[in-house]
């Protein structure tokens, strides 16, 4: 098990930027595949981005490609989601997720891949 704590959410105008952070408690952070998901009011939780345990592979949902960047810093046990050119439709609670791997890439876009979740951080984008 790993504890995940998100931070960096807030309110911003359309076109602005935010950087979300997710700090993990695991001493073996580098063995975990990490993901970001979001859930808007009245909608299902959806995949946003994921990064492999090595950091060499990243995955994005189409609506955020070119605007969001996922990265990880193993020295800080932290994964980041840099969000630029934010739009009102990006408004949601953003969740960090983690799953330990044995060196393979797990299906990155499925929420069922991940068994460890943070508490979520609210992102609100106004027009």
């Amino acid at each position: 098990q790993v504890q995940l704590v998100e931070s960096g959410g807030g309110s911003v105008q359309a076109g602005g930027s935010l950087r979300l952070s997710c700090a993990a408690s695991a001493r073996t952070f580098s063995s975990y595949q990490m993901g970001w998901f979001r859930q808007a009011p009245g909608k299902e939780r959806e995949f946003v981005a994921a990064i492999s345990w090595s950091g060499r592979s990243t995955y994005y949902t189409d609506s955020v490609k070119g605007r969001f960047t996922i990265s990880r810093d193993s020295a800080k046990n932290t994964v980041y989601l840099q969000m630029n050119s934010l739009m009102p439709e990006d408004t949601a609670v953003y969740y960090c997720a983690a799953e330990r791997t044995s060196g393979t890439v797990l299906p990155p876009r499925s929420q069922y891949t991940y068994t460890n979740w943070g508490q979520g951080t609210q992102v609100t984008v106004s027009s």
Side-chain angles (χ1 to χ4, degrees):
Q1 287 287 354
V2 58
Q3 303 281 341
L4 303 172
V5 179
E6 301 102 331
S7 61
S11 297
V12 65
Q13 289 193 325
S17 298
L18 286 173
R19 188 176 80 157
L20 305 184
S21 299
C22 173
S25 64
R27 288 180 292 176
T28 56
F29 175 73
S30 60
S31 298
Y32 283 79
Q33 178 170 310
M34 305 296 294
W36 285 99
F37 290 74
R38 65 187 179 188
Q39 188 167 18
K43 293 188 177 181
E44 298 285 322
R45 185 176 297 186
E46 66 171 356
F47 169 75
V48 177
I51 188 166
S52 63
W53 62 274
S54 66
R56 287 194 287 266
S57 298
T58 57
Y59 309 85
Y60 299 94
T61 192
D62 286 347
S63 64
V64 308
K65 284 181 181 176
R67 300 189 299 122
F68 291 11
T69 303
I70 188 171
S71 61
R72 64 190 298 158
D73 184 337
S74 292
K76 296 183 178 179
N77 278 17
T78 300
V79 64
Y80 303 98
L81 186 67
Q82 177 67 45
M83 306 186 295
N84 298 328
S85 302
L86 282 161
M87 302 184 293
E89 47 264 50
D90 295 318
T91 295
V93 178
Y94 283 70
Y95 296 92
C96 176
E99 187 63 23
R100 189 166 183 174
T101 79
S102 56
T104 60
V105 177
L106 305 171
R109 296 175 173 84
S110 172
Q111 61 177 314
Y112 302 106
T113 290
Y114 306 91
T115 57
N116 303 283
W117 293 83
Q119 82 288 350
T121 186
Q122 177 70 46
V123 171
T124 302
V125 185
S126 58
S127 57

